[in-house]
């Protein structure tokens, strides 16, 4: 795939296509610096996946996190998360010294302490910028690459850099609480801010340059290994984002730039009052008049880093639940049509392909399924939803079609072991009965579901790393509806033993999902071949 999006010839999945992969966010990787990053551990992960016969690595959204450190509430749809910059690669390039990173070595290894990591990484970026600014003749190539990056990405980078600089000046508050001249984007005020905050603006640009450079390097390494990357695109954008601030005309806002409606879901079996998410909703007519330009640019931005995009909340393309701003619950909302088939036809014409996976979970109406099937997008199935005792449950493997991605669980689910330990007795019985085996113990549940996924007819089977490691609820990534303690889980080097990947390799081979495995690669990482000389 080129940066503009090369056709992905395995989407949709043909009946004979069989592959598998792992769900693992970059922040969860081992590293000495308090949070996973795009450095050596990411490259070793590619090696391990390749050696175990895995063709896919899926991550969560990679944008800069805002409220609650959630990757689904990003400060931009186009920018990357600076916390994922690898200090090791910056040391190798002479932008940092090893001693600059000593503070990070004292951080927890099994969880992200966001307050500590954010402060630490921002200081490293400042030091790297100072080093870059002080470089002369020896850095001409790097400086040329930086200038070229800023020119090519100006359509979003200029607004994002100014947004982050203004946010820093106003101590991180919601942009609607800035002085009105900045909320309204008065040209004179913005020009003055660009002058006053020029150094900080350049630093924000530079962090994005480093991140994109490292991301491109990892993607090329993964592609050479035959490991495809799946990215994740949230349907809505954060209310406090450069997306809304720079493009207010694309959202249903009032004269003060505040949302007239916010996103959510209606009351259902799980919530009598529904859920209020608070995201601004799109003005689809305004977007249609532009040929969906902003949406297509958003897709291109992610496809510069990944091979396939998971479309979160796919049902929103058919219809989304709009709740009047200020409502206390989601009960007063209503379904409002989304862009539908016209959107995907336009995207297909622009990109030449639709390299998407539809996240069609929850209560899905016929119009959503019809939209998915019209464009032959793979749907999503989660085994943890399968065992309610109804034979027509769409999450039971017997009801799958090949053009499907099956997961044991997702980032919003408990780990499979944790799920099983809280499962009602009748659903435990349904699980073991479906497997046609005697009742087992909780430590057996995760790998039983992995086997079930791998032997299903779904074209692609994916398991979170926590399930492969057979971890309990302590390793859960996110608890929907809660705002504390999420997105923190990390694995350690000690967890990623060769026997684990031997077991995965064996299952992948016997379930006919392996593209061809070189067992020696399990103990011979290719990381030494990824020299910085080959970096973009």
């Amino acid at each position: 795939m080129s940066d503009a999006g090369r056709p992905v010839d395995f989407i949709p999945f043909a009946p004979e296509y069989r592959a598998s992969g792992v769900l693992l966010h970059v922040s969860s990787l081992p590293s000495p610096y308090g949070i996973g990053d795009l450095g050596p551990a990411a490259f070793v992960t590619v090696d391990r996946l390749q050696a175990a016969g895995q063709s896919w690595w899926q991550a969560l959204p990679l944008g800069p996190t805002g409220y609650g450190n959630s990757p689904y509430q990003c400060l931009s749809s186009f920018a990357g998360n600076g916390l994922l910059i690898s200090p090791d690669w910056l040391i190798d390039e002479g932008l940092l010294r090893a001693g600059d990173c000593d503070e990070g070595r004292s951080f927890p290894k099994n969880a992200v302490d966001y307050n500590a990591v954010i402060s630490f990484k921002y200081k490293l970026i400042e030091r790297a910028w100072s080093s870059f600014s002080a470089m002369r003749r020896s850095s001409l190539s790097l400086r040329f690459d930086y200038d070229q990056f800023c020119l090519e990405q100006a359509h979003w980078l200029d607004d994002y850099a100014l947004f982050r600089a203004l946010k820093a000046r106003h101590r991180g508050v919601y942009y609607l609480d800035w002085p009105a001249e900045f909320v309204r984007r008065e040209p004179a005020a913005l020009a003055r801010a660009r002058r006053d905050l020029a150094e900080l603006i350049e630093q924000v640009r530079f962090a994005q340059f480093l991140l994109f450079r490292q991301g491109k390097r990892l993607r090329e390494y993964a592609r050479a290994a035959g490991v495809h990357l799946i990215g994740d695109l949230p349907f809505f954008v954060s209310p406090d984002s450069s997306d809304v601030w720079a493009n207010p005309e694309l959202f249903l806002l009032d004269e003060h730039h505040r949302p007239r409606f916010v996103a959510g879901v209606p009351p259902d079996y799980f919530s009598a009052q529904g859920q209020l998410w608070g995201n601004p909703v799109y003005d689809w007519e305004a977007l249609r008049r532009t040929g969906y330009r902003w949406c297509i640019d958003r897709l291109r931005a992610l496809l510069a880093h990944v091979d396939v995009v998971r479309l979160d909340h796919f049902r929103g393309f058919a219809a989304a639940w709009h709740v009047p701003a200020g409502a206390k619950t989601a009960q007063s909302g209503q379904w409002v049509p989304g862009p539908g088939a016209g959107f995907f036809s336009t995207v297909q014409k622009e990109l030449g392909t639709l390299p998407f996976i539809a996240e069609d979970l929850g209560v899905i109406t016929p119009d959503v399924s019809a939209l998915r099937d019209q464009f032959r997008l793979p749907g999503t199935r989660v085994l943890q939803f399968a065992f309610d005792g109804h034979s027509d449950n769409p999450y039971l493997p017997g009801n799958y079609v090949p053009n499907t991605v099956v997961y044991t669980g997702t980032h919003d689910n408990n780990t499979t072991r944790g799920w099983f330990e809280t499962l009602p007795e009748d659903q435990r019985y349904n699980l073991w009965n479906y497997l046609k085996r005697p009742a087992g113990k909780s430590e057996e549940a995760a790998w039983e579901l992995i086997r079930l996924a791998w032997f299903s007819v779904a074209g692609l089977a994916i398991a979170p790393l926590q399930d492969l490691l057979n971890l309990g609820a302590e390793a859960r990534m996110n608890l929907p509806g809660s705002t504390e303690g999420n997105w923190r889980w990390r694995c350690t080097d000690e967890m990623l033993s060769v026997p684990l990947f031997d077991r995965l390799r064996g299952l992948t081979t016997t379930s006919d999902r392996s593209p061809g495995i070189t067992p020696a690669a399990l103990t011979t990482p290719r990381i030494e071949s990824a020299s910085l000389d080959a970096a973009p």
Side-chain angles (χ1 to χ4, degrees), residues 420 425 428-429 431-433 435 437-445 448:
F420 181 85
E425 198 61 42
R428 291 191 186 191
Y429 171 81
L431 168 62
W432 301 121
N433 185 55
L435 294 170
R437 57 153 289 181
K441 300 177 181 178
S442 62
E443 57 264 31
E444 299 176 89
E448 288 294 346

Side-chain angles (χ1 to χ4, degrees), residues 242-317:
S242 62
D243 299 319
V244 185
W245 178 67
N247 306 281
E249 72 281 1
L250 303 181
F251 301 87
L252 295 179
L253 309 178
D254 65 19
E255 64 273 19
H256 303 294
H257 290 228
R258 297 187 178 276
R260 292 164 47 204
F261 302 91
V262 295
V265 290
D268 57 20
Y269 175 81
F270 300 101
S271 174
Q273 296 182 332
Q275 296 180 40
L276 272 178
W277 295 339
N279 307 78
V281 297
Y282 298 106
D283 185 338
W284 284 115
E285 178 56 27
L287 283 158
R288 185 192 62 77
R289 289 195 299 267
T290 69
Y292 301 108
R293 177 51 46 201
W294 180 86
C295 299
I296 291 169
D297 287 345
R298 189 181 185 222
L299 288 165
R300 286 188 191 277
L302 182 51
L303 286 168
H305 304 287
V306 302
D307 300 298
V308 170
V309 174
R310 171 189 179 269
L311 297 176
D312 190 45
H313 195 59
F314 177 78
R315 74 145 300 112
F317 290 102

Side-chain angles (χ1 to χ4, degrees), residues 194-509:
R194 288 190 180 97
R195 290 193 302 271
D196 295 346
L197 302 173
E199 182 74 8
L200 183 53
I201 288 170
E202 284 301 311
Q203 193 177 119
V204 174
R205 287 194 181 105
F206 183 65
Q208 290 301 304
F209 165 68
L210 297 175
L211 191 64
F212 276 52
R213 181 178 169 87
Q214 293 184 2
K216 182 178 180 181
R217 179 181 171 188
L218 176 62
R219 185 184 180 197
E220 291 178 348
Y221 189 82
R223 181 189 297 167
V227 175
H228 309 295
L229 304 181
I230 302 176
D232 196 334
L233 187 74
F235 182 79
F236 295 109
V237 302
S238 170
D240 188 18
S241 66
S242 62
D243 299 319
V244 185
W245 178 67
N247 306 281
E249 72 281 1
L250 303 181
F251 301 87
L252 295 179
L253 309 178
D254 65 19
E255 64 273 19
H256 303 294
H257 290 228
R258 297 187 178 276
R260 292 164 47 204
F261 302 91
V262 295
V265 290
D268 57 20
Y269 175 81
F270 300 101
S271 174
Q273 296 182 332
Q275 296 180 40
L276 272 178
W277 295 339
N279 307 78
V281 297
Y282 298 106
D283 185 338
W284 284 115
E285 178 56 27
L287 283 158
R288 185 192 62 77
R289 289 195 299 267
T290 69
Y292 301 108
R293 177 51 46 201
W294 180 86
C295 299
I296 291 169
D297 287 345
R298 189 181 185 222
L299 288 165
R300 286 188 191 277
L302 182 51
L303 286 168
H305 304 287
V306 302
D307 300 298
V308 170
V309 174
R310 171 189 179 269
L311 297 176
D312 190 45
H313 195 59
F314 177 78
R315 74 145 300 112
F317 290 102
W321 191 251
H322 289 200
V323 183
K328 301 299 182 184
T329 74
Q331 291 169 296
S332 59
Q334 62 178 340
W335 289 113
V336 175
F343 172 80
F344 287 100
S345 294
T346 303
V347 171
Q348 189 167 36
K349 191 177 300 182
E350 285 280 332
L351 299 184
T353 182
L354 293 174
F356 305 137
I357 294 168
E359 185 273 285
D360 53 345
L361 303 176
V363 179
I364 299 301
T365 48
D367 58 325
V368 182
S369 299
L371 181 62
R372 178 200 65 206
D373 294 343
Q374 179 179 348
F375 293 93
R376 301 179 65 206
L377 303 180
T380 299
R381 296 294 177 262
V382 177
L383 284 172
Q384 288 186 23
F385 301 155
F387 303 104
D388 61 2
H390 298 289
S391 61
D392 62 348
N393 185 314
Y395 300 104
L396 279 173
N399 297 324
Y400 295 172
V401 297
N403 195 29
T404 295
V405 184
V406 57
Y407 298 81
T408 53
T410 74
H411 63 276
D412 281 335
N413 295 103
N414 202 340
T415 67
T416 293
R417 183 168 182 168
W419 161 80
F420 181 85
E421 289 172 351
T422 61
L423 201 62
E425 198 61 42
D426 62 324
Q427 293 192 38
R428 291 191 186 191
Y429 171 81
N430 293 338
L431 168 62
W432 301 121
N433 185 55
Y434 189 85
L435 294 170
K436 296 182 171 57
R437 57 153 289 181
K441 300 177 181 178
S442 62
E443 57 264 31
E444 299 176 89
W447 272 89
E448 288 294 346
L449 257 62
I450 292 168
R451 274 190 282 271
L452 197 56
W454 260 239
F455 279 100
S456 75
V457 302
L460 178 57
I462 293 181
L465 182 65
Q466 294 96 314
D467 285 355
L468 294 169
L469 293 169
N470 200 13
L471 299 178
E474 75 283 354
R476 183 169 187 161
M477 193 64 168
N478 179 48
L479 180 62
S482 67
T483 58
E484 299 294 330
N486 295 318
W487 319 110
R488 300 186 64 227
W489 180 79
R490 297 180 65 205
C491 62
T492 63
D493 282 316
E494 293 72 25
M495 293 178 178
L496 302 178
S497 64
V498 169
L500 166 67
F501 290 94
D502 273 336
R503 185 178 187 182
L504 180 59
R505 179 185 65 187
L507 174 62
T508 303
T509 301

